[in-house]
Structure formats: structure tokens, C-alpha cells
Amino acid sequence: MGSLRNQKPEIKTGFPGAIIKPLDPEEFRRQGHLVIDFLADYYNNVDKYPVRSQVEPGYLKKRLPESAPYDAEPIEEILRDVQNDIVPGITHWQSPNYFAYFPSSGSIAGFLGEMLSTGFNVVGFNWMSSPAATELESIVMDWLGKMLELPKEFLFSGGGGGVLQGTTCEAILCTVVAARDRVLREIGRENINKLVVYGSDQTHSALQKAAQIAGINPGNFRAVETSRSTEFGLTGEAFRAQVESDVESGLVPLFLCATIGTTSSTAVDPLAPLCAVAKEYNVWVHVDAAYAGSACILPEYRHFLDGVENADSFSFNAHKWFLTTLDCCCLWVKDPSLLVKALSTYPEYLRNKASDAKSVIDYKDWQITLSRRFRSMKLWLVLRSYGVANLRKFLRSHVKMAKNFEGLIGMDKRFEVVVPRNFATVCFRISPIEIGGNRQVVTKEEAANNLNAKLLETINESGKIYMTHAVIGGVYVMRFAVGASLTENRHVILAWKVVQEHANALLNSSS
């Protein structure tokens, strides 16, 4: 790769003629085929790479020049550098041996939908800027809402509506702001410091971040304690106790984020009792099903959403476990006007007859930013290319693999599953029973936590599989999240063998 050290006076672009043609159709066709071939080869070999990147911090600066090239460089040379310099620094989320965090599942339909979206490169902030982008989004959001059996009030056909955000963080922030302004219109903006936002101690940190951005007093953020006795779900009783305490203190309960499938353990907050308490105190309830929402298109998992009819908003990430590729967060609200009131601006340069007549949706008023991508294109391709039946088969296959992994754990008495498995993520550890010796400075639980942390790190350093951890109720667990598109049961069996091999070595050395 070149740099400014190799400056030359003449122009060499790598394109026909003296002036570049950045959208020359035939050159696009040629280079596009090369990139597709590169990615196809990558997926053919992705299982051969260490799943977690093995590079050290700052590795890339040592490999690349200090300055951008003066002359154009051919795509062939750039792709060689991608292979040699970039790929080693990638943690391979699409590897069949990837079991960390939550999945970011990819698919041919998702990739091609992204390609079409990027190729058209429209900026669909309002209906007029690209009618198809707005109208397709409203249609696929109703399609997906029906697949989830969301109450009609969440659909455009029932007076609500859906919008594609980038991430759950954005979805929660938008709903917090809508809830904030709804209440402040009643009690006065000078009382913003009285507003209280609620989640559990298992709720994603996106809620606390959204509250901070929305101007909620940091002292008024509540992470209500959960326990193993309720499988780390937030109970209606605990929520009520906190709300009543805040009301007695002169505060104003504002917003509850209930989670279906928490990040740490995929715990489920029971919606019906939580919504009942929220209704008494006029609290906005947002249901965050970022991970587990995908599974709720399965009839056998739909019961986890019982009570959603009494919530105000609902979101899940199609880019996690729904083959749609990052980024694609699906958000539905019962009353879109509350989003619009909180988020709308209407400068003269965006005025048009359709918007003035209020006969169209302008999605700029449903989100933080003005500009927005044509995300519905990839979701449309996924829904059409696979259909409900195949999407259900895909999800069920991962649940079955997680059950198999859970069964393998049960056959080795040194290990235990720490919390019940709800979906396709298994939380497990080496049991404290396996910690020997009576002269320990720390308790057996502390020793077990240390041992499991060491085990996980040695497993990940091997590059054979990749898992991440959580601490739940003071217990360090390894999380085995099945969801990569290429994963098969043989990869799950291999993963368990890797866990056992490293556990054997660690236990033998510690004893």
C-alpha cells in the first residue's frame, strides 16, 4: 500500500480516462464479483480461523502506512491486504464455533438485501425522499408484528406502528424521550428531576445510558434487585415496592424497561404483573426482547410475550438471531404521535405537500437522527427468501443444539447449569464441589469464580471456540450462546470436548 511518501505529479486513478468514474457500471460489476468471490472463500474457510482474534492492541498500526496513498490502488491489491492485515484482527462472529455474547446471524438474503440498500443509497428521512423506502418499512413491520402475534394496537392497521432503528439503544432512548415529554407536558418541564426510570439489576446498560442522555437525574435510575428464586426475573412485587417508595418521596415514576431474554442469563421479566403495577402509576412500559424476540415467532415460545398487550412499546433486534445482519432493530409503539411530538422538527427545506397534508409517514420523526438507511430492504428479502416456516426451522435447530449442549453438561458431574435455559443460551460452570483443599484464603464460591474465569480465558486463547461470561447473583458463569448461521450439532459436540479438555488440564494442575 502506498503513502504520501510516494507522491507523483501525474494522475493515475486505476479507472479509464483522467477523471475517476466512481460509479462506472462495468467496473462495479468487475470489482463486485471479486468481492463476492472473496467473501464466499472467506465463508468456506471461516471455521479454520481462530474464532477470537489473537492480535495484540495496536497491531494494525504496525502494518499499515502512516498516510493515505497518493495514487489509486487496484482492488486486487486491496483485497490482498484485507486478507493479510484485516482478517487476523477480526473476531469471527459468523464462525460456526462462535458462541459468545449473542449471535449476529447472517444470511444470503440479508447480505443481498444490504447490497441493494447500499446500492440504491437513498436517504429516506421522509416519504418524499424515497416513497418506496417508507412504504416498504411500514408494510414489513406489520408483517413481522403479525408473525409475533403482537396486539393490533401495535400495528399500523390498528393505529400504532413500527419503525426500524439501528440498535436497541436507539429504540430505548426514543421511547424514554417520548415518555418523558408525555409526563412533563402534564407536570411541567421544571420537574424533570423528579422523573424515575426503572429496570432490574439484569436490564441491559442501554437503559441507564438512555436515561442519562434524556436528562433523567442519575440518582433517579433504579436497578431493582432480582434473585435466583425468581430465576432473575423482575417481579411485580419488587417493582411495586420501589415505585411506592419513590412516590412517597415525592418522585414521579416514568418508565419501566421489562426484558424478555436478559443479556446475562436470558431471564424473562413477567409482563402481566409488571404492566399491572405500571398502569396504576401511569408508567410507560417498554419491552426489550432484543435477543429472544426472534424466538417468539415460534408458537411454543409466544407465551413469553403474554401481557405485552398492556405495554406501550416493544422492540427486538432482527440482526441478532433473525438472519438480517447488523443493523436492524424493530420497534413498535402503540401511539406513534408521542414519538413524533418528542422527536419531530420541520424546517422549511423539508416541507412538501404530502407531509403538510399528514397523509404519509415521515420516519425522521420516529428516530434520533434525520438521515436513515433503507433497512427494510434486507428485512423484506429475509422474510420473502425464507418464509415463516424456514425461519422457525432455523430457530428451532439452534434451540435443539443448546438442549444437546445442556445434556452434555448434565453427563459430567463436575459441571452444572447455573440458571434454567429459556432459549438457546446455556449458562454453566465448574461446580464449587470440584474445588479441593481446606486451606483456602477465599470461599469455595470465590475460588469457583476464579477457576471458571481462568478456564474461560484458556478456552478462548486456544482460538478453537469463543464464549463470553456473566456474573449472575455473584456467580461467574460461562455463556454458551448458539445462534451462528453456520453452526451445526457437530460444532456443539466439538465445543464441549474443548471445554472438557481445558477443564481437565486446569483441574489437574490446580489439584
Side-chain angles (χ1 to χ4, degrees):
M1 184 177 175
S3 72
L4 290 177
R5 293 192 298 269
N6 300 319
Q7 291 186 16
K8 298 178 182 178
E10 68 272 22
I11 298 175
K12 292 184 179 180
T13 65
F15 292 88
I19 301 176
I20 66 167
K21 296 182 179 179
L23 279 178
D24 177 82
E26 292 309 312
E27 186 62 20
F28 171 63
R29 190 189 313 277
R30 184 187 74 83
Q31 294 193 29
H33 285 160
L34 291 173
V35 171
I36 292 293
D37 285 343
F38 178 91
L39 288 172
D41 290 340
Y42 168 76
Y43 280 105
N44 268 331
N45 296 288
V46 67
D47 61 332
K48 298 180 177 64
Y49 296 111
V51 187
R52 191 183 75 175
S53 175
Q54 305 293 299
V55 301
E56 296 293 329
Y59 91 100
L60 194 56
K61 188 175 183 180
K62 299 174 184 176
R63 298 191 182 201
L64 299 187
E66 295 180 359
S67 305
Y70 182 78
D71 291 328
E73 297 178 340
I75 188 65
E76 292 86 351
E77 183 176 338
I78 296 170
L79 288 176
R80 280 195 295 273
D81 286 346
V82 171
Q83 182 63 53
N84 296 331
D85 298 330
I86 303 302
V87 170
I90 292 176
T91 290
H92 301 281
W93 286 65
Q94 305 308 313
S95 169
N97 300 309
Y98 180 95
F99 303 102
Y101 303 110
F102 281 134
S104 179
S105 58
S107 66
I108 295 170
F111 296 154
L112 296 183
E114 186 71 63
M115 187 182 295
L116 285 170
S117 172
T118 302
F120 290 132
N121 201 29
V122 303
V123 186
F125 42 76
N126 61 11
W127 179 87
M128 186 63 70
S129 65
S130 273
T134 295
E135 297 195 13
L136 183 62
E137 186 162 334
S138 63
I139 289 167
V140 297
M141 289 302 288
D142 267 14
W143 281 8
L144 195 48
K146 291 174 183 176
M147 289 167 61
L148 289 162
E149 297 183 23
L150 290 182
K152 191 173 183 180
E153 292 84 355
F154 281 107
L155 309 182
F156 285 104
S157 54
V163 57
L164 292 175
Q165 305 279 354
T167 66
T168 296
C169 298
E170 296 170 50
I172 292 177
L173 176 56
C174 288
T175 51
V176 167
V177 168
R180 178 199 67 189
D181 285 8
R182 180 183 69 170
V183 170
L184 291 182
R185 279 193 291 271
E186 297 176 3
I187 67 173
R189 287 195 169 270
E190 67 276 10
N191 290 307
I192 188 171
N193 280 332
K194 293 182 178 180
L195 302 182
V196 186
V197 169
Y198 302 85
S200 82
D201 56 5
Q202 303 298 307
T203 302
H204 194 279
S205 60
L207 176 63
Q208 186 172 10
K209 188 171 187 176
Q212 290 174 196
I213 295 172
I216 305 302
N217 186 329
N220 290 353
F221 176 79
R222 305 286 183 258
V224 183
E225 187 176 355
T226 60
S227 67
R228 180 175 287 197
S229 64
T230 60
E231 299 178 0
F232 298 99
L234 175 62
T235 66
E237 293 84 355
F239 176 47
R240 178 183 293 278
Q242 183 64 67
V243 168
E244 289 178 349
S245 173
D246 289 330
V247 171
E248 289 175 8
S249 300
L251 300 176
V252 180
L254 173 70
F255 186 95
L256 167 67
C257 181
T259 308
I260 308 299
T262 59
T263 301
S264 294
S265 67
T266 70
V268 174
D269 295 336
L271 298 183
L274 292 171
C275 288
V277 176
K279 186 175 182 180
E280 290 182 36
Y281 293 92
N282 195 32
V283 173
W284 181 300
V285 178
H286 175 75
V287 179
D288 170 18
Y291 160 68
S294 299
C296 293
I297 70 166
L298 301 174
E300 62 267 33
Y301 284 102
R302 175 56 179 77
H303 67 90
F304 285 116
L305 299 186
D306 289 351
V308 71
E309 62 273 11
N310 294 314
D312 297 276
S313 53
F314 174 89
S315 65
F316 91 97
N317 288 344
H319 60 244
K320 272 190 167 67
W321 198 14
F322 207 71
L323 298 175
T324 310
T325 71
L326 193 71
D327 53 0
C328 189
C329 175
C330 307
L331 168 67
W332 290 266
V333 291
K334 278 185 177 177
D335 188 350
S337 71
L338 295 175
L339 281 181
V340 174
K341 287 175 183 177
L343 300 170
S344 176
T345 55
Y346 199 23
E348 180 62 34
Y349 51 78
L350 294 181
R351 299 190 72 89
N352 62 85
K353 290 182 179 179
S355 296
D356 287 345
K358 300 188 184 303
S359 60
V360 296
I361 300 164
D362 286 341
Y363 274 126
K364 70 178 180 63
D365 300 328
W366 294 46
Q367 63 176 27
I368 300 165
T369 62
L370 171 65
S371 300
R372 65 194 326 269
R373 303 174 61 238
F374 198 168
R375 293 188 184 98
S376 59
M377 179 61 71
K378 59 183 175 182
L379 186 54
W380 189 50
L381 259 70
V382 167
L383 294 176
R384 293 191 61 191
S385 296
Y386 305 120
V388 178
N390 281 318
L391 288 167
R392 285 175 173 168
K393 288 179 183 177
F394 171 76
L395 293 164
R396 285 184 177 121
S397 72
H398 287 154
V399 172
K400 185 177 180 180
M401 286 183 243
K403 285 182 180 178
N404 290 344
F405 188 80
E406 191 176 31
L408 293 170
I409 294 171
M411 294 168 63
D412 188 331
K413 300 307 179 184
R414 300 173 302 173
F415 290 85
E416 64 178 357
V417 174
V418 177
V419 292
R421 177 195 52 77
N422 286 322
F423 305 99
T425 298
V426 183
C427 296
F428 72 107
R429 66 170 177 168
I430 294 178
S431 170
I433 297 173
E434 292 301 311
I435 311 299
N438 297 316
R439 293 177 293 176
Q440 296 167 342
V441 178
V442 297
T443 66
K444 278 208 170 190
E445 281 293 343
E446 291 172 321
N449 285 351
N450 295 336
L451 183 70
N452 281 282
K454 189 173 182 180
L455 173 59
L456 180 61
E457 186 55 30
T458 61
I459 289 170
N460 289 337
E461 283 178 348
S462 75
K464 293 179 180 178
I465 65 171
Y466 183 33
M467 297 183 294
T468 45
H469 78 283
V471 177
I472 312 166
V475 175
Y476 185 102
V477 299
M478 293 173 283
R479 298 171 66 264
F480 187 82
V482 182
S485 302
L486 295 172
T487 301
E488 300 173 4
N489 198 51
R490 61 188 175 93
H491 299 107
V492 171
I493 294 171
L494 172 65
W496 177 241
K497 289 180 180 177
V498 171
V499 171
Q500 285 186 307
E501 289 170 4
H502 285 270
N504 291 340
L506 191 58
L507 289 171
N508 289 336
S509 65
S510 61
S511 62

